[in-house]
Amino acid sequence: MKLMRVGPPGEERPTVIDENGQIRDLSGHVPDFTGQGVSLAALETIRGIDLTTLPVLPEGARIGACLGAVPNFFCVGLNYAKHAAETGAKPPAEPILFSKAASALAGPNDAVTIPPGSEKSDWEVELGVVIGKPCWQVSEAEALDHVAGYCVVNDLSERAWQMEHGGQWIKGKSAPGYGPCGPWLVTADEVPDPQALGLSLDLNGERVQDSDTSDMIFGVAEIVSYMSRFMQLVPGDLIATGTPSGVGLGMKPPRFLRAGDVMELRVEKLGEQRQEVVAAE
């Protein structure tokens, strides 16, 4: 299934895309795609609905974040071999884990506002993983059984705030709108191998990131299993699994986002995003 939320900010409706590509309104059946609303049990309930009985919504409405809210917005750093090389970092021996603020969530096509004082905002196309049932101390072989689905994430980053102010990376990852996700939450049954997905990002029409998830140092199953050694993952948790090479920080000289820039990003099977960069008012 492809699940999507449409409507103005704060008024999004949960929807499902039917076999003909029509947007069907689920708001009479599920409150929203948050927490238990994206549990494996909730997804099974949605699968049991006769979609032809649901109202069809017109196309053209704003697409919201595919998750209405998240208990946790986790990220994995330096998880593509070529990306680690472009930053001059040694490939990590274990996954580097950090978080974004949950308030960074945004729609896939919402404008990205450069926050006041930012000079080094950067782009990062990533595969997002959504947890579908509690996950604690699970093996790598069991890990994917706990995944509800996948989505496109732009892990936008303010590099100065991330790297030049001490402390944790979360400061450079969490500005409002710095976590676009969607357009769809694609259920796991439609993505049989998360390590075989192409992903790319174009900046102003120029392809700057172009890779696939086989370049991950730690695959999705390993990431989920590893995280579950230290914390219990819960339904609705979102994990951004790392970005491939081609970020602005790794260019020579470095290149960062400015007002008027346009990012277009995609992950195979999961859809596309388009964001225009605007200056803070």
Side-chain angles (χ1 to χ4, degrees), residues 14 16 24-33 37 42 45-46 48-55:
V16 59
R24 298 280 184 167
D25 188 356
L26 279 169
S27 56
H29 296 265
V30 298
D32 205 351
F33 299 138
T45 298
I46 295 171
I49 298 171
D50 180 357
L51 300 188
T52 63
T53 66
L54 300 177

mmCIF file of all heavy atoms in Angstrom, residues 14 16 24-33 37 42 45-46 48-55:
data_model
loop_
_atom_site.group_PDB
_atom_site.id
_atom_site.type_symbol
_atom_site.label_atom_id
_atom_site.label_comp_id
_atom_site.label_asym_id
_atom_site.label_seq_id
_atom_site.Cartn_x
_atom_site.Cartn_y
_atom_site.Cartn_z
ATOM 1 N N PRO A 14 -5.637 11.383 6.423
ATOM 2 C CA PRO A 14 -4.951 10.153 6.000
ATOM 3 C C PRO A 14 -5.641 9.581 4.778
ATOM 4 O O PRO A 14 -6.878 9.513 4.715
ATOM 5 C CB PRO A 14 -5.096 9.244 7.219
ATOM 6 C CG PRO A 14 -6.341 9.714 7.899
ATOM 7 C CD PRO A 14 -6.418 11.197 7.660
ATOM 8 N N VAL A 16 -5.196 6.643 1.220
ATOM 9 C CA VAL A 16 -4.524 5.502 0.611
ATOM 10 C C VAL A 16 -4.671 5.640 -0.898
ATOM 11 O O VAL A 16 -5.690 6.116 -1.390
ATOM 12 C CB VAL A 16 -5.121 4.166 1.122
ATOM 13 C CG1 VAL A 16 -6.608 4.060 0.820
ATOM 14 C CG2 VAL A 16 -4.365 2.973 0.559
ATOM 15 N N ARG A 24 -7.825 7.942 -1.952
ATOM 16 C CA ARG A 24 -9.018 7.563 -1.192
ATOM 17 C C ARG A 24 -8.899 8.031 0.262
ATOM 18 O O ARG A 24 -7.887 7.810 0.924
ATOM 19 C CB ARG A 24 -9.184 6.042 -1.228
ATOM 20 C CG ARG A 24 -9.395 5.479 -2.628
ATOM 21 C CD ARG A 24 -10.824 5.630 -3.082
ATOM 22 N NE ARG A 24 -11.066 5.002 -4.379
ATOM 23 C CZ ARG A 24 -12.277 4.779 -4.879
ATOM 24 N NH1 ARG A 24 -13.356 5.110 -4.172
ATOM 25 N NH2 ARG A 24 -12.419 4.225 -6.070
ATOM 26 N N ASP A 25 -9.954 8.658 0.758
ATOM 27 C CA ASP A 25 -9.959 9.268 2.086
ATOM 28 C C ASP A 25 -10.180 8.206 3.162
ATOM 29 O O ASP A 25 -11.213 7.534 3.179
ATOM 30 C CB ASP A 25 -11.064 10.329 2.141
ATOM 31 C CG ASP A 25 -11.043 11.154 3.406
ATOM 32 O OD1 ASP A 25 -10.217 10.866 4.292
ATOM 33 O OD2 ASP A 25 -11.857 12.090 3.510
ATOM 34 N N LEU A 26 -9.213 8.063 4.068
ATOM 35 C CA LEU A 26 -9.304 7.097 5.170
ATOM 36 C C LEU A 26 -9.728 7.722 6.484
ATOM 37 O O LEU A 26 -9.776 7.025 7.503
ATOM 38 C CB LEU A 26 -7.938 6.422 5.375
ATOM 39 C CG LEU A 26 -7.553 5.265 4.461
ATOM 40 C CD1 LEU A 26 -6.083 4.925 4.662
ATOM 41 C CD2 LEU A 26 -8.415 4.039 4.736
ATOM 42 N N SER A 27 -10.038 9.019 6.475
ATOM 43 C CA SER A 27 -10.228 9.712 7.756
ATOM 44 C C SER A 27 -11.419 9.176 8.544
ATOM 45 O O SER A 27 -11.479 9.357 9.763
ATOM 46 C CB SER A 27 -10.367 11.221 7.531
ATOM 47 O OG SER A 27 -11.423 11.511 6.638
ATOM 48 N N GLY A 28 -12.346 8.495 7.904
ATOM 49 C CA GLY A 28 -13.450 7.901 8.645
ATOM 50 C C GLY A 28 -13.092 6.584 9.291
ATOM 51 O O GLY A 28 -13.883 6.031 10.066
ATOM 52 N N HIS A 29 -11.902 6.071 8.992
ATOM 53 C CA HIS A 29 -11.498 4.762 9.492
ATOM 54 C C HIS A 29 -10.281 4.813 10.404
ATOM 55 O O HIS A 29 -10.158 3.968 11.292
ATOM 56 C CB HIS A 29 -11.208 3.830 8.313
ATOM 57 C CG HIS A 29 -12.399 3.545 7.460
ATOM 58 N ND1 HIS A 29 -13.191 2.433 7.630
ATOM 59 C CD2 HIS A 29 -12.942 4.237 6.426
ATOM 60 C CE1 HIS A 29 -14.170 2.438 6.739
ATOM 61 N NE2 HIS A 29 -14.038 3.520 5.995
ATOM 62 N N VAL A 30 -9.361 5.724 10.158
ATOM 63 C CA VAL A 30 -8.172 5.861 11.003
ATOM 64 C C VAL A 30 -7.996 7.338 11.354
ATOM 65 O O VAL A 30 -8.257 8.220 10.532
ATOM 66 C CB VAL A 30 -6.903 5.328 10.300
ATOM 67 C CG1 VAL A 30 -7.035 3.843 9.997
ATOM 68 C CG2 VAL A 30 -6.615 6.092 9.029
ATOM 69 N N PRO A 31 -7.571 7.636 12.586
ATOM 70 C CA PRO A 31 -7.421 9.037 12.972
ATOM 71 C C PRO A 31 -6.264 9.726 12.265
ATOM 72 O O PRO A 31 -6.371 10.875 11.847
ATOM 73 C CB PRO A 31 -7.207 8.974 14.486
ATOM 74 C CG PRO A 31 -6.714 7.580 14.746
ATOM 75 C CD PRO A 31 -7.343 6.718 13.710
ATOM 76 N N ASP A 32 -5.127 9.029 12.122
ATOM 77 C CA ASP A 32 -3.964 9.611 11.457
ATOM 78 C C ASP A 32 -2.874 8.541 11.408
ATOM 79 O O ASP A 32 -2.967 7.504 12.070
ATOM 80 C CB ASP A 32 -3.446 10.857 12.194
ATOM 81 C CG ASP A 32 -2.678 11.809 11.280
ATOM 82 O OD1 ASP A 32 -2.402 11.433 10.124
ATOM 83 O OD2 ASP A 32 -2.348 12.924 11.725
ATOM 84 N N PHE A 33 -1.835 8.820 10.628
ATOM 85 C CA PHE A 33 -0.696 7.911 10.548
ATOM 86 C C PHE A 33 0.348 8.348 11.568
ATOM 87 O O PHE A 33 1.345 9.001 11.254
ATOM 88 C CB PHE A 33 -0.115 7.899 9.139
ATOM 89 C CG PHE A 33 -1.084 7.433 8.084
ATOM 90 C CD1 PHE A 33 -1.158 8.090 6.864
ATOM 91 C CD2 PHE A 33 -1.928 6.362 8.312
ATOM 92 C CE1 PHE A 33 -2.047 7.674 5.888
ATOM 93 C CE2 PHE A 33 -2.833 5.938 7.346
ATOM 94 C CZ PHE A 33 -2.886 6.599 6.135
ATOM 95 N N GLY A 37 -1.145 4.119 14.798
ATOM 96 C CA GLY A 37 -1.830 4.244 13.517
ATOM 97 C C GLY A 37 -1.045 3.677 12.354
ATOM 98 O O GLY A 37 -1.602 3.482 11.263
ATOM 99 N N ALA A 42 -2.556 -2.062 12.591
ATOM 100 C CA ALA A 42 -3.351 -1.021 11.948
ATOM 101 C C ALA A 42 -3.282 -1.129 10.431
ATOM 102 O O ALA A 42 -4.285 -0.927 9.730
ATOM 103 C CB ALA A 42 -2.869 0.355 12.404
ATOM 104 N N THR A 45 -5.604 -3.759 9.260
ATOM 105 C CA THR A 45 -6.989 -3.274 9.263
ATOM 106 C C THR A 45 -7.283 -2.481 7.996
ATOM 107 O O THR A 45 -8.339 -2.643 7.368
ATOM 108 C CB THR A 45 -7.248 -2.410 10.506
ATOM 109 O OG1 THR A 45 -7.072 -3.205 11.681
ATOM 110 C CG2 THR A 45 -8.660 -1.841 10.498
ATOM 111 N N ILE A 46 -6.353 -1.625 7.604
ATOM 112 C CA ILE A 46 -6.543 -0.839 6.384
ATOM 113 C C ILE A 46 -6.622 -1.754 5.167
ATOM 114 O O ILE A 46 -7.443 -1.538 4.260
ATOM 115 C CB ILE A 46 -5.409 0.185 6.223
ATOM 116 C CG1 ILE A 46 -5.466 1.224 7.356
ATOM 117 C CG2 ILE A 46 -5.488 0.890 4.868
ATOM 118 C CD1 ILE A 46 -4.274 2.152 7.409
ATOM 119 N N GLY A 48 -7.918 -4.523 4.967
ATOM 120 C CA GLY A 48 -9.219 -5.181 4.937
ATOM 121 C C GLY A 48 -10.361 -4.298 4.478
ATOM 122 O O GLY A 48 -11.495 -4.767 4.333
ATOM 123 N N ILE A 49 -10.085 -3.015 4.249
ATOM 124 C CA ILE A 49 -11.134 -2.080 3.832
ATOM 125 C C ILE A 49 -11.345 -2.186 2.331
ATOM 126 O O ILE A 49 -10.384 -2.256 1.553
ATOM 127 C CB ILE A 49 -10.751 -0.634 4.215
ATOM 128 C CG1 ILE A 49 -10.607 -0.492 5.736
ATOM 129 C CG2 ILE A 49 -11.775 0.365 3.686
ATOM 130 C CD1 ILE A 49 -10.025 0.842 6.164
ATOM 131 N N ASP A 50 -12.585 -2.191 1.914
ATOM 132 C CA ASP A 50 -12.911 -2.129 0.486
ATOM 133 C C ASP A 50 -12.687 -0.687 0.032
ATOM 134 O O ASP A 50 -13.486 0.197 0.338
ATOM 135 C CB ASP A 50 -14.365 -2.549 0.262
ATOM 136 C CG ASP A 50 -14.778 -2.507 -1.207
ATOM 137 O OD1 ASP A 50 -13.955 -2.088 -2.061
ATOM 138 O OD2 ASP A 50 -15.940 -2.859 -1.495
ATOM 139 N N LEU A 51 -11.598 -0.454 -0.687
ATOM 140 C CA LEU A 51 -11.230 0.915 -1.038
ATOM 141 C C LEU A 51 -12.265 1.580 -1.927
ATOM 142 O O LEU A 51 -12.362 2.811 -1.952
ATOM 143 C CB LEU A 51 -9.852 0.939 -1.713
ATOM 144 C CG LEU A 51 -8.673 0.403 -0.891
ATOM 145 C CD1 LEU A 51 -7.357 0.675 -1.618
ATOM 146 C CD2 LEU A 51 -8.641 1.009 0.504
ATOM 147 N N THR A 52 -13.054 0.793 -2.649
ATOM 148 C CA THR A 52 -14.059 1.398 -3.532
ATOM 149 C C THR A 52 -15.172 2.079 -2.739
ATOM 150 O O THR A 52 -15.942 2.857 -3.309
ATOM 151 C CB THR A 52 -14.667 0.344 -4.466
ATOM 152 O OG1 THR A 52 -15.364 -0.643 -3.698
ATOM 153 C CG2 THR A 52 -13.591 -0.332 -5.311
ATOM 154 N N THR A 53 -15.261 1.789 -1.433
ATOM 155 C CA THR A 53 -16.277 2.439 -0.604
ATOM 156 C C THR A 53 -15.802 3.773 -0.039
ATOM 157 O O THR A 53 -16.597 4.494 0.579
ATOM 158 C CB THR A 53 -16.681 1.523 0.567
ATOM 159 O OG1 THR A 53 -15.557 1.360 1.454
ATOM 160 C CG2 THR A 53 -17.112 0.160 0.056
ATOM 161 N N LEU A 54 -14.532 4.104 -0.233
ATOM 162 C CA LEU A 54 -13.973 5.322 0.347
ATOM 163 C C LEU A 54 -14.130 6.492 -0.612
ATOM 164 O O LEU A 54 -14.008 6.329 -1.832
ATOM 165 C CB LEU A 54 -12.484 5.124 0.665
ATOM 166 C CG LEU A 54 -12.122 4.011 1.647
ATOM 167 C CD1 LEU A 54 -10.605 3.914 1.797
ATOM 168 C CD2 LEU A 54 -12.784 4.232 2.996
ATOM 169 N N PRO A 55 -14.358 7.696 -0.089
ATOM 170 C CA PRO A 55 -14.453 8.875 -0.957
ATOM 171 C C PRO A 55 -13.148 9.119 -1.705
ATOM 172 O O PRO A 55 -12.052 8.904 -1.167
ATOM 173 C CB PRO A 55 -14.740 10.019 0.027
ATOM 174 C CG PRO A 55 -15.230 9.366 1.273
ATOM 175 C CD PRO A 55 -14.581 8.025 1.332
#
